[in-house]
């Protein structure tokens, strides 16, 4: 069996042992005579999966009982709307740091509900950096501060949480959730679509702090959009298969050594790739060095023609999904938790060959 060196930005590569476990259990889940996706979500099998996944996520992140874990549908894009629906009223202001396309989509949704203040935007520079604390101009009275911890398209990432004027953070962590330890004390809510770093598409993990939930502006809203609905009980059919897969990915994360393990592993992978890019002018990183992402590594070559050839020859070397997002162009290597060091080494070695042939 030949597996690709898969650098897809999302849905992205999953850990092979997790896929194999799911393959083995697909037709007959733990001897029950049916697949997990053919059983009631109220039955003991799925109930255990859901509870185990939530417990594992709490252990991995160090979340205490002040935190609720939800497995919702609608993608991170639904959270763009659900967060302000619950926590921003028309006479309030929320701060939204604008570091890329996903941030600006979140801003657009929040404006339907209340006032949005943008303490910083790197739009003018085609989102080539994330702010330092002294570049931020927060409002005095923000009810929360929203930021995108990793900018999947542009290849930038916050090294640490942005400063606020005392408000808690709300974070779209879709493309770097569980890639490194997280200082939960600074957060009120964290959401992440699973398909980048956590599992298949179809589930969005939401971590919400109970004391933050006290700030909910109203209970008068459609049932499915109210976080309390999902905290009180499993309200409707969850994305069973996606949660089942996320549960196994969480198991794999714990077995590997948790977030400190992945922080080191991701630094190692990003390190060798950026070293190769920085060797000379043949490859050019597209973002400021201090803002570089360890999840999505973006770079360009001297011409679009050369980039086309790079992508075509890379594919012949089993290196797949390296084409940059259309708004940046060039090359993007997404190297999430499940992308193995061997794949990054194969890419680096190809980059060296390609440079010596064309440099
Ligand atoms: C992919 C992505 C999204 C969109 O997620 P959906 O689940 O497709 O709605 C939002 N934010 C970030 C940072 C992403 O990488």
């Amino acid at each position: 069996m030949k597996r690709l060196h898969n650098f897809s930005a999302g849905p992205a590569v999953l850990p092979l042992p997790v896929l194999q476990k799911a393959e083995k259990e697909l037709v007959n889940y733990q001897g029950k005579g049916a697949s997990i996706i053919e059983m009631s979500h109220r039955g003991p099998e799925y109930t255990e999966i859901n509870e185990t996944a939530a417990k594992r996520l709490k252990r991995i992140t160090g979340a205490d009982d002040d935190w609720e874990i939800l497995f919702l549908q609608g993608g991170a894009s639904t959270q763009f709307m659900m967060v302000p629906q619950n926590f921003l009223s028309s006479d309030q202001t929320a701060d939204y740091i604008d570091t890329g396309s996903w941030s600006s989509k979140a801003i657009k949704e929040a404006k339907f509900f209340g006032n949005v203040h943008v303490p910083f935007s790197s739009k003018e520079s085609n989102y080539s950096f994330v702010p330092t604390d002294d570049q931020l101009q927060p409002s005095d009275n923000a009810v929360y501060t929203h930021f995108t911890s990793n900018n999947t398209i542009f290849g930038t990432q916050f090294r640490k949480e942005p400063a606020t004027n005392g408000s808690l953070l709300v974070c779209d962590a879709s493309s770097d959730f569980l890639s490194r330890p997280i200082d939960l004390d600074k957060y009120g809510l964290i959401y992440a679509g699973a398909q980048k770093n956590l599992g298949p598409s179809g589930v969005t993990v939401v971590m919400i702090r109970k004391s933050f939930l006290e700030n909910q502006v109203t209970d008068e809203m459609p049932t499915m959009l109210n976080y309390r609905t999902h905290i009180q009980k499993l309200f409707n059919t969850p994305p069973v298969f996606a949660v089942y897969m996320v549960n196994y990915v969480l198991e794999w994360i714990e077995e590997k050594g948790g977030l400190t393990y992945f922080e080191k592993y991701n630094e190692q992978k990003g390190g060798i790739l950026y070293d190769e890019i920085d060797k000379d002018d043949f490859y050019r990183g597209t973002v400021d060095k201090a803002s570089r992402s360890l999840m999505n590594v973006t770079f360009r070559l001297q011409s679009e023609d050369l980039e086309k050839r790079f992508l075509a020859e890379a594919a012949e070397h089993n290196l797949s999904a390296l084409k940059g997002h259309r708004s940046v162009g060039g090359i993007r290597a997404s190297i999430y938790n499940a992308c193995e060091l061997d794949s990054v080494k194969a890419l680096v070695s190809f980059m060296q060959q390609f440079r010596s042939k064309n440099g």
Side-chain angles (χ1 to χ4, degrees):
M1 176 190 59
K2 186 177 117 180
R3 294 260 300 164
L4 298 166
H5 292 301
N6 185 350
F7 299 97
S8 172
V13 63
L14 287 166
L16 185 58
V18 170
L19 291 173
Q20 286 170 330
K21 204 163 181 177
E23 179 186 38
K24 231 175 103 206
E25 290 185 340
L26 185 65
V27 172
N28 187 355
Y29 179 71
Q30 298 187 347
K32 300 286 158 74
S35 169
I36 188 64
I37 48 178
E38 301 170 300
M39 295 178 194
S40 168
H41 57 289
R42 311 259 175 221
E45 293 84 5
Y46 181 74
T47 301
E48 195 196 339
I49 288 168
N50 206 303
E51 283 173 5
T52 307
K55 267 192 214 135
R56 281 191 172 130
L57 189 56
K58 281 187 166 187
R59 267 203 309 269
I60 290 169
T61 56
D64 61 18
D65 287 340
D66 198 25
W67 287 88
E68 299 282 353
I69 310 284
L70 304 175
F71 300 111
L72 304 182
Q73 303 192 55
S77 300
T78 295
Q79 294 307 304
F80 294 164
M81 160 263 283
M82 214 163 141
V83 165
Q85 164 94 63
N86 282 263
F87 296 109
L88 182 61
S89 63
S90 57
D91 56 357
Q92 291 177 326
T93 298
D95 282 5
Y96 273 73
I97 300 173
D98 179 25
T99 53
S101 315
W102 297 118
S103 306
S104 64
K105 284 183 175 162
I107 289 170
K108 175 171 180 246
E109 299 302 298
K111 283 180 175 167
F112 287 117
F113 299 92
N115 304 309
V116 172
H117 169 76
V118 178
F120 170 86
S121 174
S122 47
K123 188 171 186 196
E124 301 279 283
S125 77
N126 200 29
Y127 295 119
S128 62
F129 65 107
V130 296
T132 55
D133 284 348
D134 51 17
Q135 288 171 314
L136 292 166
Q137 293 175 304
S139 61
D140 302 328
N141 50 356
V143 288
Y144 60 83
T145 299
H146 181 282
F147 79 113
T148 314
S149 50
N150 182 75
N151 299 283
T152 326
I153 292 173
F154 296 93
T156 62
Q157 185 177 27
F158 282 83
R159 287 271 82 77
K160 63 175 197 56
E161 286 81 4
T164 70
N165 257 350
S167 81
L168 286 172
L169 294 167
V170 170
C171 181
D172 174 2
S174 292
S175 53
D176 69 352
F177 190 53
L178 307 187
S179 71
R180 58 184 176 183
I182 183 167
D183 184 0
L184 282 182
D185 288 349
K186 295 181 174 162
Y187 294 84
L189 189 151
I190 303 166
Y191 60 92
Q195 70 272 21
K196 308 315 187 345
N197 206 24
L198 209 58
S201 63
V203 63
T204 306
V205 173
V206 178
M207 295 183 65
I208 181 166
R209 187 197 279 274
K210 281 180 201 154
S211 45
F212 184 65
L213 197 66
E214 304 296 310
N215 305 339
Q216 197 186 37
V217 290
T218 171
D219 226 13
E220 297 295 310
M221 69 181 92
T223 310
M224 279 293 284
L225 300 184
N226 191 335
Y227 286 111
R228 288 187 195 275
T229 301
H230 305 283
I231 288 170
Q232 277 156 10
K233 59 170 195 262
L234 204 58
F235 178 74
N236 71 325
T237 318
V240 167
F241 188 69
V243 177
Y244 160 84
M245 291 294 284
V246 164
N247 184 39
Y248 282 153
V249 173
L250 295 171
E251 179 183 52
W252 171 81
I253 289 176
E254 281 198 303
E255 281 171 6
K256 284 279 179 186
L259 301 188
T260 50
Y261 168 86
F262 280 102
E263 178 176 47
K264 280 212 190 79
Y265 191 52
N266 291 323
E267 278 170 2
Q268 189 185 6
K269 288 184 291 177
I272 62 170
L273 200 40
Y274 283 118
D275 280 352
E276 195 52 44
I277 290 168
D278 290 340
K279 250 181 205 161
D280 55 30
D281 295 338
F282 188 74
Y283 300 108
R284 284 181 292 117
T286 56
V287 302
D288 289 7
K289 283 191 181 173
S291 300
R292 281 175 163 177
S293 168
L294 293 175
M295 298 277 100
N296 310 97
V297 177
T298 50
F299 59 97
R300 306 218 53 159
L301 280 76
Q302 264 100 350
S303 70
E304 288 190 12
D305 200 45
L306 203 56
E307 286 167 350
K308 269 195 197 126
R309 269 173 34 221
F310 180 93
L311 291 168
E313 287 182 33
E316 288 167 19
H317 285 74
N318 211 27
L319 302 158
S320 91
L322 284 163
K323 193 174 179 357
H325 191 272
R326 60 193 177 280
S327 55
V328 184
I331 316 295
R332 171 175 55 175
S334 298
I335 53 170
Y336 305 118
N337 285 356
C339 173
E340 291 185 6
L341 180 60
D342 278 352
S343 290
V344 177
K345 283 183 175 164
L347 172 59
V348 166
S349 134
F350 169 73
M351 287 167 72
Q352 288 166 350
Q353 277 176 45
F354 193 82
R355 176 200 276 111
S356 62
K357 266 201 312 196
N358 300 283

